[in-house]
């Protein structure tokens, strides 16, 4: 197995760890990467050279706490090691998809289902699992129930796709009227609501079983909580800043507000299989490595639908 000393860009497990998979990148989004297995260590049972595999937002956890023992490594009691800008086991900073190659313990590496386009698989390992995990945890996979999705970006569009695959009635809430056609005609949402229009918002009062809040911009919460039915649940997957909410909103509902960030290894495997079986594909723009600076500028301007994916393999030819 390759050690870190063989490449300044390599990170992951030290050479003494004998359960690794080595993969150079084909497609990456900095902290969501997909590549081909080029070497395996003794004891690796689930992979072979040539497999298309992916690595998500974390590459290590303690593997001994109650959460790791329950396949919830993402909330490891001692803190997971994140794949980008994290502190690796030798004290170096992890470099994510900007590394030359990666050596990963097989526990945190996932086989991409046969036939699933690898360039589309990378965003599943962050955006996909970020919405899939709380939807499963809060039993949102009940056909006939209703789901509101706040924000139609990288996370929100995946919430719409999973919601429809689960058989839910999906209502998209956005501050931009220009996203209505995308939501209804392309993503297949059932309804679109301009959230700045009080009359449209009131029309959905007490009508939703669940809400996925994927907005990272500051916004009021009371108007959205009023859309939930009794015992409804709103889950935050974005980071909107401060949350202001009357206690009565929760107590008299009763209603629940929760938060979630990515998912454990078992959930990731299930999400990949579900996505492949239901042909759920993130919307991406595939770019060469030379376009990274322009892409970052466009991210700041919110000019992307909905994920940039860097084509490393062809960029290096």
């Amino acid at each position: 197995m390759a050690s870190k000393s063989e490449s300044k860009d390599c990170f992951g497990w030290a050479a003494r760890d004998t359960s690794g998979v080595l993969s150079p990148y084909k497609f990456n989004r900095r902290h969501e990467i997909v590549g081909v297995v080029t070497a395996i260590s003794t004891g690796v049972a689930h992979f072979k050279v040539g497999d298309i595999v992916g690595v998500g937002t974390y590459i290590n956890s303690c593997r001994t706490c109650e959460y790791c023992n329950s396949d919830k490594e993402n909330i490891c009691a001692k803190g997971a090691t994140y794949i980008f800008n994290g502190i690796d086991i030798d004290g170096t900073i992890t470099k994510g998809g900007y590394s030359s190659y990666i050596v990963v313990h097989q526990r945190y590496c996932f086989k991409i289902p046969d036939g699933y386009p690898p360039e589309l698989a990378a965003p599943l390992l962050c955006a996909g699992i970020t919405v899939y995990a709380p939807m499963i945890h809060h039993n949102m996979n009940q056909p006939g129930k209703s789901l509101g999705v706040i924000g139609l970006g990288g996370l929100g569009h995946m919430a719409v796709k999973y919601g429809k695959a689960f058989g839910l009635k999906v209502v998209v809430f956005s501050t931009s009227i220009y996203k209505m056609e995308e939501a209804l005609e392309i993503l297949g949402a059932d309804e679109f609501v301009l959230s700045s229009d009080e009359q449209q918002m009131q029309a959905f009062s007490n009508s939703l079983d669940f809400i996925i809040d994927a907005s990272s911009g500051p916004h009021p919460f009371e108007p959205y909580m009023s859309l939930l039915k009794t015992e409804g649940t709103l889950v935050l997957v974005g980071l909107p800043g401060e949350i202001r909410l009357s206690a009565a909103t929760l107590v008299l509902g009763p209603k629940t507000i929760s938060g979630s960030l990515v998912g454990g290894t078992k959930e990731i495997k299930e999400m990949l299989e579900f996505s492949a079986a239901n042909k759920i594909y993130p919307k991406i723009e595939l770019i060469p490595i030379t376009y990274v600076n322009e892409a970052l500028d466009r991210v700041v301007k919110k000019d992307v639908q909905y994920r940039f994916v860097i084509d490393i393999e062809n960029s290096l030819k």
Side-chain angles (χ1 to χ4, degrees):
M1 178 177 182
S3 69
K4 294 185 68 165
S5 62
E6 294 177 44
S7 169
K8 292 181 179 180
D9 289 329
C10 178
F11 67 93
W13 298 103
R16 64 180 178 273
D17 194 308
T18 59
S19 300
V21 175
L22 189 149
S23 174
Y25 305 142
K26 294 185 68 174
F27 305 101
N28 104 71
R29 285 200 62 258
R30 186 178 70 175
H31 59 262
E32 311 156 27
I33 56 181
V34 170
V36 181
V37 175
T38 58
I40 59 176
S41 297
T42 301
V44 173
H46 306 298
F47 301 96
K48 65 182 184 298
V49 172
D51 281 346
I52 304 295
V53 297
V55 184
T57 59
Y58 53 92
I59 56 169
N60 197 0
S61 63
C62 75
R63 288 179 266 168
T64 59
C65 71
E66 61 178 307
Y67 303 109
C68 287
N69 287 333
S70 300
D71 298 312
K72 298 178 181 178
E73 298 88 348
N74 56 305
I75 52 174
C76 172
K78 298 181 181 179
T81 298
Y82 288 98
I83 196 170
F84 182 81
N85 203 30
I87 306 299
D88 211 341
I89 55 176
D90 65 350
T92 60
I93 304 298
T94 57
K95 298 179 181 179
Y98 297 131
S99 306
S100 300
Y101 59 90
I102 183 171
V103 183
V104 184
H105 189 283
Q106 62 180 328
R107 179 168 181 161
Y108 310 96
C109 193
F110 308 95
K111 189 176 185 304
I112 304 304
D114 293 340
Y116 197 96
E119 69 274 18
L120 300 181
L124 292 181
L125 297 165
C126 184
I129 189 60
T130 294
V131 295
Y132 180 89
M135 292 179 81
I136 295 298
H137 179 75
H138 292 282
N139 300 313
M140 297 185 191
N141 56 340
Q142 302 179 59
K145 296 285 187 176
S146 53
L147 169 71
V149 177
I150 303 173
L152 197 62
L155 296 175
H157 93 288
M158 292 304 298
V160 174
K161 286 174 175 286
Y162 286 127
K164 293 304 297 179
F166 289 142
L168 304 176
K169 175 184 177 181
V170 178
V171 183
V172 171
F173 296 86
S174 176
T175 58
S176 175
I177 190 65
Y178 299 107
K179 292 190 176 182
M180 180 170 65
E181 182 178 357
E182 174 83 11
L184 300 177
E185 302 300 327
I186 298 177
L187 297 176
D190 297 284
E191 302 277 357
F192 178 89
V193 175
L194 188 63
S195 56
S196 58
D197 188 317
E198 291 187 14
Q199 188 173 4
Q200 288 187 39
M201 291 287 285
Q202 290 175 1
F204 286 87
S205 180
N206 300 309
S207 67
L208 301 175
D209 296 290
F210 313 106
I211 293 177
I212 291 288
D213 188 341
S215 175
S216 290
H219 59 274
F221 283 83
E222 292 283 1
Y224 291 108
M225 295 301 290
S226 70
L227 305 182
L228 288 172
K229 296 178 181 178
T230 298
E231 298 187 333
T233 299
L234 181 149
V235 179
L236 285 171
V237 294
L239 296 171
E242 186 179 37
I243 299 173
R244 289 185 173 273
L245 196 65
S246 167
T249 299
L250 301 180
V251 174
L252 300 179
K255 298 175 182 178
T256 300
I257 186 168
S258 181
S260 184
L261 181 67
V262 296
T265 54
K266 181 180 178 181
E267 293 169 321
I268 293 174
K269 292 175 184 176
E270 292 175 354
M271 177 274 302
L272 288 170
E273 293 297 331
F274 183 84
S275 299
N278 290 275
K279 294 181 171 55
I280 296 174
Y281 303 124
K283 291 195 66 177
I284 70 163
E285 183 174 335
L286 193 64
I287 63 171
I289 190 68
T290 53
Y291 189 74
V292 167
N293 289 333
E294 290 88 342
L296 288 173
D297 289 338
R298 286 179 55 193
V299 169
V300 173
K301 297 175 182 177
K302 299 181 180 180
D303 178 28
V304 54
Q305 288 186 321
Y306 290 99
R307 284 288 192 261
F308 283 121
V309 174
I310 305 171
D311 186 348
I312 298 294
E313 182 179 43
N314 288 313
S315 294
L316 299 179
K317 288 182 178 179

